[in-house]
Amino acid sequence: MGKLAVYKYTSLMFLVIQIVVSIFTFVGLFGGSSNPVSSTATAMIVFVLPLLILANAVLLVYWLARRRYHWAAIPVVTLLCCIPYIGTIYQLRALPADDETLPGFKLASYNVAAFGRETSGFMAQDILSIMKQHKVDILCMQEYLDVSGDKKNSDSYKEYFPYMAVGKDDMVIYSRYPIKKSKAIPFEDTNNSAMWADIDINGKAIKVFNVHLETTGFSRTLSRVKKMEMKGRRVEDNSIIKAIYGNYTLGMIVRAGQAITVANEQRMSHIPAIICGDFNDVPYSFVYNTLSEGMVDGFKECGSGWMYTYRGKKSVRIDYILHDKSLQGVNYYKQELTYSDHLPVFMKFKLQ
């Protein structure tokens, strides 16, 4: 009787855990539909969706090992509902062997982290060399710093990218095709911003949005804590957690408003649009859902493998290329570079 009681208690405990994990998973899947202003906690669950999916997979293995197939149906249904989300971070397909032979144009988006604030221009020139290797036609940079190598007056940049549009001081769009007009989109009470440029690609007008939304605040908070500890000031663990939570929730709310601003600007466009840049948010978040509404996620369309764009310990996807349904992508990929805490993303478009 003792063993049977323990067996039943263990099964009940795992069933409760399964129900809780499944509920949180579904909340995360729909959390991006709620504006963080009114539902901060729900919006935060989206960030841990990969961990919740992993927990469901582990529980599925447990139920199968215990031969409790009726309870195994719960994680199976939950995981099936997660397939669209999984498609935003992983795609099982082979990339084209050589997209350079395909007609069209290639766009790259890269948060260059102010080129490490080095003044020799070496990093900027090295990045330019890589863009040449990938035959990039349009380059959108975030956290751009002009004084690093003086790129506005750089003959090498002008030689490869004859056209250039500058937004706020942290934004730039380089192009091998004529830029007809551009506009900066400043955000209130922040250093972040967005911009767009109308580009004529062989007679076809395309509006390219370059976006850099509010940061999460994790790194900034941890940096402050380290500085305080170096000065010998003791920092309580709970105060660190509160600071991180406060900065992250504030960042979510600010990003939500910025995303709505960019989305409204894009919807007023009468020509096909591409939205790219550093969203500082994960797939299925309110920011992602707002900016991708009516658009195509380039990675889901033609990417391959595991997609992450932040080089830190989080290894999450926060940089994107979205496009109008009238455009067609043929290749989407990232490259492992060490010049920034972000990775550049590339997308080849087919001209209709």
Side-chain angles (χ1 to χ4, degrees):
M1 290 295 291
K3 289 184 178 180
L4 181 60
V6 171
Y7 181 84
K8 288 183 177 180
Y9 175 79
T10 303
S11 295
L12 179 61
M13 181 184 66
F14 272 91
L15 179 59
V16 171
I17 293 173
Q18 175 66 76
I19 293 172
V20 171
V21 169
S22 291
I23 290 174
F24 271 85
T25 303
F26 282 111
V27 171
L29 289 173
F30 294 98
S33 343
S34 307
N35 193 317
V37 174
S38 58
S39 184
T40 306
T42 302
M44 288 191 73
I45 297 177
V46 181
F47 195 80
V48 296
L49 262 176
L51 297 178
L52 292 170
I53 292 172
L54 179 61
N56 277 286
V58 171
L59 287 166
L60 174 59
V61 172
Y62 170 79
W63 294 123
L64 293 176
R66 296 289 297 269
R67 297 183 180 181
R68 292 294 183 263
Y69 303 118
H70 50 296
W71 297 130
I74 301 176
V76 167
V77 171
T78 306
L79 290 171
L80 287 174
C81 292
C82 292
I83 290 177
Y85 168 79
I86 295 172
T88 64
I89 56 177
Y90 182 80
Q91 285 290 328
L92 184 61
R93 67 161 64 92
L95 287 174
D98 182 13
D99 69 5
E100 308 305 338
T101 61
L102 301 172
F105 66 96
K106 183 176 287 188
L107 181 144
S109 175
Y110 194 13
N111 181 324
V112 294
F115 300 100
R117 299 194 177 276
E118 56 91 22
T119 56
S120 67
F122 167 78
M123 192 177 294
Q125 293 301 317
D126 216 19
I127 290 174
L128 174 61
S129 176
I130 291 169
M131 296 303 155
K132 288 180 179 179
Q133 292 173 15
H134 287 268
K135 294 182 171 57
V136 171
D137 298 296
I138 301 170
L139 171 60
C140 296
M141 285 184 177
Q142 306 90 41
E143 288 196 40
Y144 169 82
L145 184 65
D146 182 55
V147 297
S148 177
D150 194 16
K151 291 165 294 304
K152 276 184 183 176
N153 300 314
S154 169
D155 290 335
S156 54
Y157 265 77
K158 286 181 178 180
E159 181 181 349
Y160 187 74
F161 292 110
Y163 306 96
M164 175 184 179
V166 179
K168 202 177 168 182
D169 53 7
D170 67 327
M171 286 260 128
V172 66
I173 297 177
Y174 288 106
S175 176
R176 293 174 59 80
Y177 295 99
I179 295 177
K180 297 302 182 180
K181 58 181 178 179
S182 64
K183 175 185 174 181
I185 307 174
F187 300 138
E188 294 182 2
D189 303 321
T190 178
N191 293 325
N192 300 72
S193 68
M195 67 176 294
W196 58 255
D198 287 347
I199 302 177
D200 184 348
I201 303 177
N202 297 334
K204 183 179 180 66
I206 294 177
K207 188 181 294 291
V208 176
F209 285 82
N210 188 10
V211 177
H212 183 208
L213 303 185
E214 188 72 15
T215 183
T216 59
F218 282 147
S219 300
R220 183 171 58 246
T221 302
L222 293 176
S223 176
R224 288 176 183 171
V225 170
K226 288 180 180 178
K227 288 180 180 178
M228 290 174 67
E229 290 177 342
M230 289 174 65
K231 293 179 180 178
R233 297 173 61 184
R234 188 169 179 271
V235 183
E236 298 292 338
D237 291 340
N238 62 341
S239 65
I240 297 175
I241 294 173
K242 288 180 180 178
I244 291 176
Y245 179 81
N247 281 335
Y248 186 73
T249 53
L250 177 60
M252 280 196 305
I253 293 171
V254 173
R255 281 196 303 277
Q258 294 170 349
I260 292 172
T261 299
V262 174
N264 288 339
E265 192 85 22
Q266 179 264 321
R267 290 182 187 119
M268 289 189 294
S269 174
H270 299 293
I271 60 177
I274 296 173
I275 302 178
C276 70
D278 175 11
F279 294 4
N280 265 316
D281 223 325
V282 294
Y284 267 50
S285 62
F286 179 82
V287 165
Y288 174 85
N289 289 347
T290 300
L291 292 176
S292 64
E293 184 179 356
M295 306 285 278
V296 178
D297 184 332
F299 174 69
K300 291 178 66 176
E301 178 187 24
C302 55
S304 177
W306 177 262
M307 178 51 64
Y308 61 92
T309 62
Y310 187 74
R311 293 180 54 242
K313 294 180 180 180
K314 295 191 285 289
S315 294
V316 292
R317 184 187 180 204
I318 57 176
D319 301 85
Y320 304 83
I321 299 177
L322 313 171
H323 66 84
D324 188 90
K325 293 179 180 178
S326 65
L327 301 173
Q328 182 180 349
V330 294
N331 195 1
Y332 188 110
Y333 60 96
K334 67 178 184 295
Q335 183 173 359
E336 299 282 349
L337 299 178
T338 58
Y339 303 116
S340 167
D341 53 351
H342 291 251
L343 300 176
V345 288
F346 302 81
M347 185 168 183
K348 181 70 176 281
F349 289 90
K350 178 182 179 182
L351 281 176
Q352 301 294 333

